[in-house]
Amino acid sequence: MDARDADLKKDLDATLRTRRELGEEYESALVDSFLEKVDQRIDGAVERRVRRQLAEQQMTTARDSRSPKPTDTFGERFGFGIVSLVLAIPLSAIGGGVAHLPGMLVAWAGIVGVNVVQVARTNPDLFARRRRRDRNDAWED
């Protein structure tokens, strides 16, 4: 039994003693007074729990927003790389057959571009760090 329960028990005992002293005509007023005290305690407990849960949710949300999570699994990245290489074969053949070396270079530039975009999408901090470091180097000169 904690302190709040002990206080509630004292209040109940006091209410019962008062009822014995005053008689039955004051019973409903005494019961209403006691129930109001119980309601206040319940409201306080619920309010504390709601505040605690809101604080926990806010902390969880803040923690999740600070740590970026990769959007792709290893299997998705591996599959993207395999598909990219498989498609590189016919694209190289078509580009090389139609426009020779320049055509092949354009095909491979497109393949590399698609893969760079995929890496930038799954690792947003990869290029941001390089930019920040370049800016810091510029200030040191």
Side-chain angles (χ1 to χ4, degrees):
M1 186 180 279
D2 64 359
R4 289 179 285 176
D5 290 339
D7 289 342
L8 195 58
K9 186 176 181 182
K10 288 178 186 177
D11 287 343
L12 179 60
D13 289 339
T15 302
L16 291 175
R17 275 184 271 137
T18 305
R19 188 228 177 244
R20 284 186 208 121
E21 292 175 11
L22 296 177
E24 291 184 19
E25 58 270 2
Y26 292 102
E27 183 175 335
S28 66
L30 292 171
V31 169
D32 288 342
S33 173
F34 179 73
L35 289 177
E36 187 173 323
K37 290 178 185 179
V38 171
D39 283 343
Q40 289 173 352
R41 296 210 184 206
I42 291 172
D43 289 344
V46 168
E47 188 174 333
R48 282 190 299 276
R49 286 182 185 155
V50 167
R51 283 185 191 161
R52 185 176 56 228
Q53 286 178 346
L54 285 174
E56 288 173 0
Q57 286 176 350
Q58 289 173 346
M59 287 177 57
T60 302
T61 302
R63 210 176 298 132
D64 290 344
S65 67
R66 276 188 270 144
S67 59
K69 297 177 182 166
T71 56
D72 294 338
T73 63
F74 173 76
E76 290 172 348
R77 292 190 310 262
F78 185 72
F80 189 83
I82 294 295
V83 169
S84 178
L85 288 175
V86 166
L87 290 177
I89 295 169
L91 289 175
S92 298
I94 293 169
V98 172
H100 305 291
L101 183 62
M104 192 178 294
L105 291 176
V106 168
W108 276 96
I111 293 166
V112 169
V114 167
N115 283 288
V116 167
V117 168
Q118 175 69 7
V119 168
R121 187 180 70 81
T122 57
N123 300 314
D125 291 338
L126 184 67
F127 297 108
R129 289 183 195 145
R130 175 171 277 151
R131 276 189 238 123
R132 274 188 254 134
R133 188 177 42 194
D134 290 344
R135 283 188 211 136
N136 292 338
D137 291 344
W139 285 102
E140 292 173 3
D141 289 340

